[in-house]
Amino acid sequence: MKRPLDSIIDVRFVLSILLPVALLASPLAGCEFSDDPCPCYPLRDGSAGDARAPDASGDAGLTGAGEGGIAGGDGGGSAGESGGTGDGGKAGIGGEPGDTGGAGTGGSVSGNGGSSGNGGSSGGCGTGGACPQCTKDSDCDAGVCSDANECLQCLKQKDCSGAACDLSRNKCVTCLHLNGVTIGCAESTPYCKTDSENTDNNACVQCLKHRDCSGTEPICDANACRKCRTHAECDIAGGVCNRDTGACLNESEVIYVDVDKDDADCASNNGGTRKKPFCVLQHGVDAVSGIKTTLLVSAGTYAPVNITDRKGLSVIGKAGAEIKASSVDTPVIYLSGDTQLIVESMKIYYGSGTGAGIKCVSTTSNPTLTVRSSAITANAGGGIVATSCTLSVYDSTINDNGDAGIDASGGKLSLYDSTISGNSAEGLSANGCDVTAERNSFTGNDGGGLSLGASNLKVVNNLVAVNGGATTFGGVRISEPGKRAIFEHNTVANNYANPGTVAGIRCIDEVEIRSCIVSGNTYKDISGLCTASWSLIRDGKYSGGSNNLTGDPRFKG
């Protein structure tokens, strides 16, 4: 039988073998500890205390951050008094204190009890009771590791691929504008629209100002470049919008005219520049050459002009620009020869005697005339007289002229979105030409609304109302239609003519009328040679055609 001391030696021998193995297998294996913080990462628990020989007190555990040490080892195994209590582990830096060592197990033989084991060693190290988030970039799930061992989205601009680093927050945002330089935007949207309240709302856009746009999209609208729509938008350049391309003309392409310019000698010496404009409109017309083919006319009243053999000429008026007749029987604008003229945003008035507002005459070739957004009014010889010309009218008013609103013979006429009213003869008289009239209003013309003879025609979606008087027709008269004769979706109402005469639509020859409203015209709405279908014909006197209705259209207003 072994002596108690032999048992103690055996126990100590076993513990000396097992405890180092346990330490190696602990969560802190391979980590060195000291009284100072160490770069241990991440948080770990402390290890178990060592067993000690009898009569010796257990040492306290080492300091360190993290959880406290595990309880001390059992006391010695000799007989005698129970072992003393082991000291608890010291608290780590910012960590919790170690558990107090447990009481030694009583010996089986008399003698002094063995002392308790060491307290547990400290846990992982760190600052303020928490281990650092990182020691290198790869420790971070995303972003980079800072000098303060924190994982951040960015420290430099290059840390944000395809974006920008807001260094005040170390956060990647869509874009930034710093020291005049845009960061994070692609070539297609090269400018950064910033939000002073929150850079998270920054956005890459196509433009911030008009100067960021160019070419055929010179206008910055809601941070996107677009084509110009009005001349006023192009004050950033030459003051003229090219409606065909959407580009703003440069000053080098424009001739400037200003009748009210305070320069007594401007008529002879000025060159038509923005700073030194012409005062006389005719001088501007005569100066047209090369790329300078556009006249920008400031507010004021100008004398009539004569234009011959001028290709690509545009006369564009600012608000308040007008041309007024100055002599009897002279048109306000006269063009002939090989001329291409655009008149835009001008008031043309007071042609006297036989003087029309605009007279276009073919001599050696057929001139081309385009009228846009203009008013042609109170001309004794009629609004526009065109002989063998190509005439186009858009968004204009032709009213209160002493003859027809438009008198076209030969050539081609296109009329859109315009008002032709109050003229002393027909609103439109066309003979021997191709006619297209869409979305217009013909009202109050004494000689009738439309007189169309020997012409190809496309008349669609027009209002023809309250025209005529002591005339042979009131609303529409069609004779000798060409191969193309389209008359549909028109409203012909409340027109007047001589008693016994068709006041609505009078067809001298057979014409197909489709999907129209013909109502309230004196004596008769529609004549027998008109072939109507899918139309409302109020008076019920028409018996031809097919799929027509009778009754009141119940107009409002």
Side-chain angles (χ1 to χ4, degrees):
M1 181 174 180
K2 293 182 179 180
R3 293 177 299 165
L5 183 57
D6 295 333
S7 299
I8 294 172
I9 294 172
D10 288 346
V11 171
R12 293 179 61 190
F13 177 78
V14 172
L15 290 174
S16 68
I17 298 299
L18 295 179
L19 286 175
V21 174
L23 284 171
L24 290 173
S26 73
L28 290 178
C31 182
E32 294 182 0
F33 290 88
S34 68
D35 291 334
D36 297 321
C38 66
C40 190
Y41 172 83
L43 289 168
R44 287 176 271 204
D45 294 334
S47 63
D50 296 330
R52 288 298 176 96
D55 299 321
S57 297
D59 292 334
L62 298 175
T63 62
E67 297 180 3
I70 299 172
D74 291 340
S78 65
E81 295 176 6
S82 60
T85 301
D87 293 335
K90 293 183 180 179
I93 298 176
E96 298 177 0
D99 296 333
T100 302
T105 303
S108 59
V109 183
S110 62
N112 292 330
S115 64
S116 64
N118 291 333
S121 63
S122 67
C125 62
T127 302
C131 281
Q133 292 182 335
C134 60
T135 58
K136 55 186 180 299
D137 291 349
S138 59
D139 293 333
C140 300
D141 292 336
V144 293
C145 186
S146 71
D147 291 341
N149 303 111
E150 294 180 284
C151 287
L152 303 173
Q153 283 193 9
C154 61
L155 293 171
K156 302 175 182 178
Q157 296 299 337
K158 67 179 182 180
D159 296 333
C160 300
S161 178
C165 180
D166 183 349
L167 297 176
S168 66
R169 298 188 296 152
N170 298 110
K171 185 175 181 180
C172 291
V173 295
T174 300
C175 62
L176 291 171
H177 188 73
L178 300 174
N179 301 320
V181 177
T182 297
I183 303 170
C185 292
E187 185 176 353
S188 59
T189 52
Y191 299 96
C192 186
K193 181 182 180 182
T194 58
D195 185 334
S196 59
E197 300 293 330
N198 186 355
T199 56
D200 288 341
N201 297 327
N202 289 2
C204 291
V205 297
Q206 196 174 13
C207 61
L208 298 173
K209 301 177 180 178
H210 292 318
R211 68 186 181 192
D212 300 332
C213 303
S214 61
T216 58
E217 294 184 335
I219 304 302
C220 184
D221 185 355
N223 300 117
C225 295
R226 63 164 172 81
K227 296 179 182 297
C228 62
R229 296 171 185 163
T230 66
H231 298 306
E233 287 180 332
C234 289
D235 281 342
I236 56 174
V240 176
C241 174
N242 185 326
R243 295 179 184 271
D244 295 328
T245 66
C248 291
L249 298 188
N250 296 318
E251 287 191 26
S252 61
E253 301 173 278
V254 180
I255 297 171
Y256 297 89
V257 183
D258 188 349
V259 70
D260 292 330
K261 185 70 174 177
D262 187 16
D263 187 341
D265 203 26
C266 71
S268 59
N269 291 338
N270 281 9
T273 63
R274 205 167 205 168
K275 292 183 178 180
K276 295 182 72 67
F278 290 119
C279 292
V280 178
L281 185 57
Q282 186 68 55
H283 292 165
V285 170
D286 294 341
V288 168
S289 65
I291 63 172
K292 283 182 172 288
T293 59
T294 299
L295 275 64
L296 184 59
V297 184
S298 293
T301 301
Y302 297 83
V305 291
N306 189 321
I307 304 169
T308 302
D309 296 329
R310 296 289 182 182
K311 287 187 176 182
L313 171 61
S314 296
V315 178
I316 298 170
K318 290 187 173 183
E322 58 186 34
I323 310 174
K324 179 181 178 181
S326 57
S327 58
V328 178
D329 299 333
T330 301
V332 181
I333 296 177
Y334 179 86
L335 66 150
S336 63
D338 190 10
T339 295
Q340 297 169 339
L341 173 64
I342 296 174
V343 176
E344 185 170 341
S345 303
M346 297 291 295
K347 180 181 178 181
I348 300 165
Y349 71 114
Y350 276 6
S352 61
T354 60
I358 302 177
K359 187 170 185 178
C360 178
V361 177
S362 173
T363 52
T364 57
S365 60
N366 297 336
T368 297
L369 170 63
T370 301
V371 179
R372 291 180 178 146
S373 305
S374 294
I376 303 173
T377 183
N379 298 285
I384 300 175
V385 177
T387 304
S388 298
C389 295
T390 298
L391 171 62
S392 301
V393 180
Y394 302 89
D395 187 33
S396 293
T397 299
I398 303 173
N399 69 312
D400 298 330
N401 295 288
D403 207 318
I406 299 175
D407 186 351
S409 58
K412 183 177 181 179
L413 168 63
S414 300
L415 180 62
Y416 299 94
D417 305 300
S418 295
T419 298
I420 296 89
S421 65
N423 297 290
S424 297
E426 300 93 334
L428 168 61
S429 176
N431 293 281
C433 61
D434 289 338
V435 177
T436 299
E438 298 188 33
R439 303 180 303 276
N440 303 290
S441 172
F442 299 87
T443 60
N445 298 289
D446 294 342
L450 294 85
S451 178
L452 307 172
S455 300
N456 291 317
L457 58 97
K458 181 182 179 182
V459 180
V460 178
N461 199 23
N462 298 280
L463 172 65
V464 185
V466 199
N467 298 286
T471 53
T472 58
F473 81 101
V476 181
R477 177 175 61 192
I478 303 174
S479 63
E480 302 181 63
K483 293 181 180 180
R484 184 191 72 170
I486 299 171
F487 191 95
E488 59 189 25
H489 301 294
N490 299 295
T491 297
V492 182
N494 301 334
N495 296 286
Y496 304 89
N498 289 327
T501 303
V502 177
I505 303 175
R506 183 181 182 188
C507 300
I508 308 300
D509 299 286
E510 291 187 3
V511 180
E512 187 174 358
I513 308 297
R514 292 190 295 269
S515 303
C516 292
I517 297 174
V518 189
S519 173
N521 301 285
T522 60
Y523 179 66
K524 199 171 183 179
D525 281 331
I526 189 169
S527 69
L529 289 177
C530 300
T531 303
S533 60
W534 304 104
S535 296
L536 189 154
I537 303 170
R538 180 177 181 177
D539 64 8
K541 297 178 181 180
Y542 177 76
S543 59
S546 60
N547 300 302
N548 297 303
L549 298 173
T550 60
D552 187 351
R554 297 184 181 181
F555 296 128
K556 291 184 178 181

